[in-house]
Amino acid sequence: MDKFSEDELRKYGNLEKIQQHQEENLAQRVQMAHGAVKDLKQQQHDQSDSLDALIVQAENLMTGIKTTVTDNEVDTMKSYVDLTTHEQASVQKNMDAWSPLPTVVLSDNWDGFEKNLRTYASAEQLDLSTDPLTDLLTPEEREQIAVNIKKDFGYRKAHCDKYDYTLATISGVISGLIDVFFVGGAMKTKNGDDNRKALPKITDSWFNHIILKYAQMDYHLRQISGQHIDNFPKQTPKTIEQGVHYLEMQYKVPYDAQYDKRLKGLKPGEMQMSAANHHLFSLAHYPDLVGLVFSILDQFLNTGSYLSNGQFIQASMENNQFKLHGSNFAAKIFCGFVNWMGHLASDAVGSSGAVHKGNRGSGLPIPGTEIFQTLNFNLPGTDSLTLSKIATKVFEQGYDARHAAATAIPVMINELLTRLLWALKQYFYHHQTVPEITKLRNVPELSRMLLCSYGVFAGLDIGDATAHGINKGIETGGNKAAILVETFSNLNVALYPRLALQGYKEVMSWYNNSHYNVEDFDHYLGQEWESLVKV
């Protein structure tokens, strides 16, 4: 929605003030009409009774009286019927009171109609110099609007009681236990030997199902259109291994070198890239905006962009025969996007060779985690151990996008459970109705409960990860790298961005106490405006 300037708001407010003046005049006239009709009914009733009485008297007097009436008698009777000067003045006064109401002349365009409205205002001597929004509302209405805005869009401190904190703690404990016992840490699988917890296995099966469906859909589309490479399969993929192999054949890219030895111009040891980590090093393999930009760039330049241990490397593969399709620039961009999506699908559940062997394979890196490859500084107490190396080892351990999806499940459970417990407290303890609860906005108590529940969740998660790290240290004789890798492999990657966001909201609530959330208010006004436009 385009924002109005102060002058535009004043102009439209004055136009509304003019229309309100017309409505008030019409309401007064309608009220006068109701009063006049009521008076007429009463007069008619009174006169009807008097007329009946006069008729009876006249019939009685007619008995025995002469039936001939003289002209003088007729004139005398007429003088009683004709209106007096005072009565005529009273009638004229009533007619003036019922004169036509002033109206606004319509126009074929808005500018003309606006001009006619201002002409009306001048004729009626309306003051348009004052604030129209103040004039249009009563003091009670202005006070109520201020209360509602402060309630719905004002920053205020939370006033949680012991029940709020108890319910938030319960939610955090439940979610944390789900994370510990049903998600656990990332770990390698080999030859079908899978000792992971239940939820990572479930998310892996979801990914397998989605990728197989994607491959089958792509197969049918290519079969119908005839746009496919040579040696196109005669049958649609039926297993995940066939689906991944099909996508690998259809979506070739110039940045898919599995080993640094396949890259031209690299010095020995400059980048230790292997099949287990090449998705992490290749920027185009990230399923986010950074990955999309570098994928299209690499496809145009027929090269690969890699980020490893704080170094940005751009190199092309040996024996690279890639060619980006498209007859013009826009078509090449579209083909590059489709190729990026298809290649991501081929790598999401590991290579077809890994799937064939029963291994989990190396999936896609977690969106946004490319930043860890820039953190190439030594950790305290170590000689050559950096965060980028730790991140690489954690990824090789199996902490990819599939495992991140599993970690998001207890986070979503905590979010929903905390909100549900808050709503139940509002219903049973504060005796609010369901419509009242659903209309509540900007509730600081709920925000504080979410922060508390995520804090408890994080405490359990960190405690569990630390315990695994200590256990690994005992097994390896205090190997710092092994301890850190095991610790980070057991942390919930989806939890901490949500906790940080909730913490930021809490800090902003304290800092902006008694201020207003202008963005939310502007968004609300935009929604209301759109609803009015639709009507």
Side-chain angles (χ1 to χ4, degrees), residues 241-421:
E241 179 186 347
Q242 294 175 356
V244 172
H245 180 72
Y246 165 80
L247 292 173
E248 289 173 343
M249 294 297 102
Q250 298 297 322
Y251 294 101
K252 298 286 187 179
V253 291
Y255 49 80
D256 199 30
Q258 292 186 341
Y259 300 93
D260 55 322
K261 296 178 181 179
R262 289 194 59 191
L263 298 177
K264 297 179 181 178
L266 262 106
K267 299 177 182 179
E270 186 175 357
M271 181 173 61
Q272 297 178 352
M273 189 169 69
S274 65
N277 59 31
H278 75 285
H279 293 166
L280 187 71
F281 291 162
S282 172
L283 290 172
H285 278 91
Y286 283 83
D288 53 21
L289 183 59
V290 172
L292 173 60
V293 171
F294 277 98
S295 174
I296 293 179
L297 179 65
D298 288 345
Q299 290 181 67
F300 267 97
L301 299 178
N302 204 1
T303 185
S305 300
Y306 304 91
L307 186 61
S308 173
N309 297 325
Q311 292 183 329
F312 178 76
I313 300 171
Q314 196 167 41
S316 57
M317 293 192 304
E318 294 180 351
N319 301 321
N320 180 25
Q321 298 179 352
F322 173 79
K323 180 182 179 181
L324 180 61
H325 296 282
S327 57
N328 53 50
F329 181 76
K332 288 181 180 293
I333 291 289
F334 178 75
C335 290
F337 171 75
V338 174
N339 208 37
W340 175 67
M341 289 288 295
H343 188 74
L344 288 182
S346 72
D347 286 337
V349 296
S351 66
S352 58
V355 175
H356 176 73
K357 295 177 182 179
N359 298 336
R360 186 169 179 268
S362 176
L364 296 175
I366 302 168
T369 56
E370 53 264 60
I371 190 174
F372 288 110
Q373 291 303 313
T374 65
L375 305 177
N376 191 38
F377 52 85
N378 292 338
L379 296 175
T382 64
D383 295 331
S384 59
L385 189 60
T386 65
L387 276 178
S388 61
K389 291 181 179 179
I390 294 296
T392 301
K393 292 295 182 181
V394 170
F395 179 79
E396 292 174 353
Q397 190 81 358
Y399 212 133
D400 56 13
R402 290 171 292 176
H403 187 77
T407 65
I409 295 176
V411 175
M412 290 188 293
I413 291 175
N414 183 68
E415 183 81 18
L416 297 175
L417 182 58
T418 304
R419 292 180 180 274
L420 175 62
L421 292 175

Side-chain angles (χ1 to χ4, degrees), residues 417-455:
L417 182 58
T418 304
R419 292 180 180 274
L420 175 62
L421 292 175
W422 169 81
L424 292 175
K425 180 174 181 284
Q426 301 305 308
Y427 184 82
F428 290 104
Y429 186 77
H430 297 290
H431 305 291
Q432 289 186 314
T433 63
V434 174
E436 290 175 340
I437 295 173
T438 56
K439 289 181 181 179
L440 290 175
R441 289 171 168 267
N442 190 29
V443 184
E445 290 75 22
L446 175 58
S447 181
R448 178 72 61 81
M449 287 179 65
L450 287 168
L451 178 63
C452 180
S453 65
Y454 280 117

